[in-house]
Amino acid sequence: MTTRKKYPIINAKNVGSREQASADIACNFQSNTPVVSSSNPLAEILLGSAGQINLCRQLLEDFTHQKHQGDARNSNVDFHATCEVECEGYQLNLKCHYQNVDDIYFIWFNIEKNQLFSEHNGWFKKVSVTDLAKYSAMLLTLLKQVAGCDSILFDYVSGLVVESSDLNNDNCSLPGLSIVNLKSGADIQHDYQQLLALATQVIKDKPCLLLQKIESRYLLVSWLKDSAKQLPEIAVAAIQQQLALIVSQTLLSIDISHVAKSEKSLNVVTSPEIYKETFTKAQSALLLMDQNGRLLEVNSAAAAVFQHSINQMVGSFFQSYVKLSDWQRGLKSFYQLLAGKRERLIARKRLVGPQGELIWCDLKLSTVMSKGIILVEINDISRILAQQEQLHSRNIQLAQDNQLLQVRSETDELTGLHNRRALVMRLAQDLERTIRNQHFVSVVMLDVDHFKSYNDQFGHLAGDQVLKIIGEILRGCVRTIDMAARYGGEEFTLVLPETDIEGAMSLAERCRASIEAFIWPMRDITVSLGVVSCQPKENEVVSSAKLLSVADKALYQAKHSGRNKIVQGSWDSPAQVNQAS
Ligand SMILES: Nc1nc2c(ncn2[C@@H]2O[C@H](COP(=O)(O)OP(=O)(O)OP(=O)(O)O)[C@@H](O)[C@H]2O)c(=O)[nH]1
């Protein structure tokens, strides 16, 4: 059982320096009389934490005391108490809610009138992020030892730095402290399961202290090693002991010299010279101009864009570096920016280089401090645009080359008709459509008669001329939707979509007659033709190979029945020979 002691909290404003406060605390620790001081901002924060810890200690004592008066058999404790404490010269009325849920200790502090934060304006609410970082690091050290814990969750949901957008992230890191934002505005006080899950997930089996501050309410969760085996009061006693210990130990052990150093370096970082040099040395091209466009500051990167010196540029007008028509086009937005009707302006403009050449740039304009000064960020995109242009024309060339290749791969070089490859593809497509619509498709195969003897008699080149002329005649005979192709050697094929046998026979005859009628230079030329037409019935399987084979057989019959003839082939009935007229 813990012996109940009184720990008076002394308003140590009179104590003076931090060192003095520290020494006092060290001394008072011996007599269990911790001190709270507010002699300088740093110590104020530090000792403010100590102040909180003292509050906790007193409350823990009260709790221990009340616990013994309460139901000792019930290990899950849940009771409320009120007490008055003095801190930082304020008499605070605290409402406390103590809970022990499955050996995880919850103590809620509710400062009823919130004097500490609303009345003492400079205490926490004005803490900057930098101060907060310092504060956090110190608090971490303090609290780590309080419960011998390895990790601390600290929530800034509200209270400390409401206005700091830096801390709006879910997880933001400040030196020495891992911060997890608990659900903002959530009533965690009544959601122990969530808290337990969170604590368990983050701290695993390490002892941990979890401090959360929501407006005026404080939550301190202490989870001690092997807590399941310990009675609540042992936990309380352990915390009490460590609380007392830590106040003096931490104050004495924190080496203030590095804080002083970092404060000094912070002052350097925030000095105007640093900003000036940052501006000058920035690798992005930056200009500062007044509302008339007069350049107030120019950094080296910006001077490099125009290939001028900084001195040449400062005092000149920004307009003189922008193509006139581009400048005029953006004037309305520019005036809106000056009038404070917009904060930023992004535009793509042509700037004028030293030789009068135009440089495409992306400009970002924003007002600085007051609406009279404008920061211009210049991004030279001329090289990117040139590369894009080059890429674009290469793509066009590539597309054209591809198209040409495609045409070449489907064209017969000698006659300029489609080649066999193209014919096979086209016939397959036409057949598919024919089968779907149950329409007609016809094929005509045509072969030059006695071509070998022509070649032999007049030479191969003369033979080529014959094939070329036949190609032209055929092209003239067919409709645009038909396809005339050189099937191979001296053999030609026509594909006639939407054409029945009568139409195909009549076209074949027109071809035959035109070739026969042509006035050939060496000797007469005739051709033999095989014709096939089909109208597939529903579910009938028709292949282009079969269609070509029937046409070929008909052509063969035309040859064998004397040449210069047309033979109509058929799927099932024997071929019919049409005599040349
Ligand atoms: N000039 C030329 N001749 C070709 C070409 N392709 C094939 N030939 C020739 O065409 C001739 C075809 O001869 P054959 O298949 O014996 O038939 P044919 O002499 O026409 O007799 P039939 O077809 O029975 O009337 C061969 O001599 C081939 O060399 C070509 O591209 N140019």
Side-chain angles (χ1 to χ4, degrees):
M1 199 172 104
T2 315
T3 317
R4 189 154 190 259
K5 296 173 193 162
K6 271 285 164 210
Y7 295 99
I9 297 170
I10 300 164
N11 173 8
K13 272 184 181 161
N14 305 327
V15 169
S17 69
R18 175 187 174 283
E19 287 77 6
Q20 182 63 53
S22 172
D24 283 351
I25 288 171
C27 157
N28 287 329
F29 169 61
Q30 310 300 329
S31 56
N32 291 323
T33 315
V35 180
V36 176
S37 166
S38 62
S39 52
N40 67 48
L42 190 64
E44 187 178 71
I45 290 168
L46 180 67
L47 298 173
S49 313
Q52 283 181 49
I53 291 169
N54 278 297
L55 297 182
C56 301
R57 188 170 61 176
Q58 184 148 358
L59 292 166
L60 284 167
E61 277 193 321
D62 286 347
F63 167 57
T64 312
H65 180 68
Q66 295 205 32
K67 169 71 185 70
H68 286 293
Q69 291 173 358
D71 184 2
R73 287 165 304 174
N74 186 0
S75 66
N76 276 3
V77 183
D78 189 343
F79 72 88
H80 296 260
T82 53
C83 68
E84 272 184 22
V85 286
E86 186 193 301
C87 179
E88 298 262 273
Y90 292 98
Q91 200 65 35
L92 303 175
N93 302 316
L94 300 184
K95 258 191 182 171
C96 313
H97 183 191
Y98 307 88
Q99 283 157 329
N100 174 17
V101 181
D102 297 333
D103 287 326
I104 292 195
Y105 229 73
F106 295 76
I107 302 159
W108 296 88
F109 298 74
N110 205 329
I111 304 174
E112 271 207 313
K113 289 186 181 151
N114 198 16
Q115 296 122 312
L116 210 54
F117 299 101
S118 56
E119 291 180 27
H120 192 338
N121 216 11
W123 205 48
F124 270 135
K125 285 197 171 169
K126 285 189 181 165
V127 170
S128 70
V129 177
T130 324
D131 287 339
L132 186 67
K134 280 189 268 172
Y135 167 73
S136 305
M138 291 174 199
L139 191 62
L140 177 76
T141 320
L142 282 166
L143 298 181
K144 261 191 176 177
Q145 294 175 48
V146 164
C149 50
D150 291 335
S151 46
I152 289 173
L153 305 179
F154 198 99
D155 181 34
Y156 292 105
V157 171
S158 57
L160 280 185
V161 277
V162 176
E163 279 141 29
S164 170
S165 57
D166 297 8
L167 295 175
N168 283 344
N169 302 331
D170 276 355
N171 291 301
C172 79
S173 63
L174 288 173
L177 189 70
S178 69
I179 297 170
V180 177
N181 264 339
L182 299 183
K183 219 161 73 183
S184 180
D187 192 357
I188 297 168
Q189 187 178 3
H190 298 293
D191 195 350
Y192 307 120
Q193 290 315 315
Q194 186 200 334
L195 203 55
L196 283 177
L198 182 72
T200 311
Q201 176 205 328
V202 177
I203 63 187
K204 304 249 163 46
D205 57 352
K206 291 176 186 166
C208 168
L209 190 134
L210 197 153
L211 178 75
Q212 191 198 8
K213 177 169 175 285
I214 298 177
E215 293 173 359
S216 61
R217 183 194 297 153
Y218 293 86
L219 165 65
L220 180 70
V221 178
S222 168
W223 186 23
L224 299 176
K225 269 181 190 157
D226 299 318
S227 58
K229 296 193 188 95
Q230 295 189 32
L231 293 171
E233 49 269 49
I234 297 174
V236 170
I239 293 171
Q240 270 186 302
Q241 271 181 6
Q242 285 159 345
L243 277 169
L245 203 65
I246 192 59
V247 174
S248 87
Q249 272 183 0
T250 310
L251 282 175
L252 290 175
S253 65
I254 289 177
D255 175 11
I256 192 164
S257 62
H258 78 277
V259 178
K261 246 187 254 165
S262 71
E263 273 188 333
K264 201 173 163 197
S265 65
L266 275 175
N267 284 339
V268 172
V269 169
T270 52
S271 73
E273 289 75 31
I274 287 289
Y275 287 117
K276 172 102 178 158
E277 194 164 341
T278 308
F279 175 87
T280 314
K281 289 193 173 164
Q283 292 186 13
S284 309
L286 301 173
L287 307 169
L288 277 180
M289 63 179 180
D290 67 15
Q291 51 191 335
N292 297 316
R294 189 185 293 275
L295 299 181
L296 306 170
E297 297 277 357
V298 176
N299 76 354
S300 355
V305 172
F306 300 99
Q307 293 178 33
H308 288 309
S309 71
I310 294 176
N311 284 346
Q312 270 176 316
M313 290 186 73
V314 171
S316 61
F317 286 90
F318 182 60
Q319 297 87 302
S320 63
Y321 301 97
V322 185
K323 189 176 188 303
L324 187 64
S325 54
D326 285 16
W327 173 256
Q328 286 165 341
R329 218 176 19 255
L331 270 183
K332 194 177 159 199
S333 320
F334 182 67
Y335 287 129
Q336 282 176 342
L337 187 77
L338 285 176
K341 288 184 183 157
R342 57 196 302 170
E343 280 181 10
R344 271 183 298 172
L345 172 59
I346 298 175
R348 182 163 290 184
K349 302 271 177 215
R350 279 163 294 182
L351 303 188
V352 185
Q355 316 297 334
E357 76 275 17
L358 296 176
I359 312 161
W360 274 110
C361 289
D362 279 345
L363 305 180
K364 289 182 189 164
L365 282 74
S366 40
T367 46
V368 179
M369 311 269 283
S370 69
K371 41 185 192 177
I373 297 178
I374 292 164
L375 172 71
V376 187
E377 295 172 58
I378 302 171
N379 188 12
D380 180 352
I381 54 158
S382 51
R383 200 182 303 166
I384 296 172
L385 287 185
Q387 283 169 349
Q388 281 176 353
E389 181 66 28
Q390 216 174 15
L391 204 68
H392 182 63
S393 34
R394 269 196 211 149
N395 281 342
I396 291 178
Q397 186 60 46
L398 206 66
Q400 286 170 346
D401 289 353
N402 279 341
Q403 209 175 0
L404 202 67
L405 269 176
Q406 171 84 3
V407 171
R408 279 200 189 141
S409 73
E410 294 177 357
T411 305
D412 173 54
E413 228 175 294
L414 181 68
T415 61
L417 295 179
H418 292 287
N419 61 16
R420 183 176 182 145
R421 180 172 174 269
L423 175 115
V424 171
M425 283 195 309
R426 167 74 186 272
L427 184 59
Q429 286 167 8
D430 282 355
L431 252 178
E432 202 181 296
R433 195 168 42 246
T434 303
I435 292 167
R436 205 167 47 241
N437 304 332
Q438 292 180 37
H439 286 179
F440 284 99
V441 65
S442 296
V443 170
V444 176
M445 271 196 151
L446 177 154
D447 188 278
V448 186
D449 294 331
H450 299 303
F451 195 52
K452 183 177 181 320
S453 68
Y454 192 95
N455 271 334
D456 291 348
Q457 201 176 346
F458 308 109
H460 208 77
L461 284 180
D464 281 355
Q465 284 308 310
V466 170
L467 297 177
K468 268 187 169 180
I469 293 168
I470 290 177
E472 276 166 34
I473 293 173
L474 293 179
R475 201 181 285 127
C477 288
V478 295
R479 303 163 303 174
T480 45
I481 62 160
D482 299 333
M483 180 189 237
R486 185 171 170 218
Y487 197 60
E490 82 295 10
E491 209 169 274
F492 295 84
T493 304
L494 310 176
V495 177
L496 313 170
E498 308 289 332
T499 307
D500 59 10
I501 190 62
E502 284 78 23
M505 287 298 283
S506 121
L507 180 84
E509 173 52 24
R510 200 157 64 241
C511 297
R512 190 205 63 76
S514 305
I515 291 166
E516 189 181 33
F518 190 81
I519 301 172
W520 296 96
M522 302 303 188
R523 71 164 205 216
D524 286 349
I525 297 284
T526 60
V527 291
S528 301
L529 303 98
V531 181
V532 65
S533 182
C534 85
Q535 183 187 25
K537 298 178 187 70
E538 213 177 340
N539 300 327
E540 187 181 4
V541 179
V542 180
S543 71
S544 42
K546 188 180 174 192
L547 210 57
L548 288 168
S549 137
V550 173
D552 194 43
K553 275 184 195 147
L555 169 63
Y556 181 79
Q557 286 189 16
K559 289 274 182 188
H560 282 269
S561 57
R563 297 184 174 78
N564 193 22
K565 290 189 172 56
I566 303 169
V567 170
Q568 177 190 332
S570 158
W571 301 112
D572 24 45
S573 60
Q576 291 176 4
V577 181
N578 279 29
Q579 291 292 332
S581 53

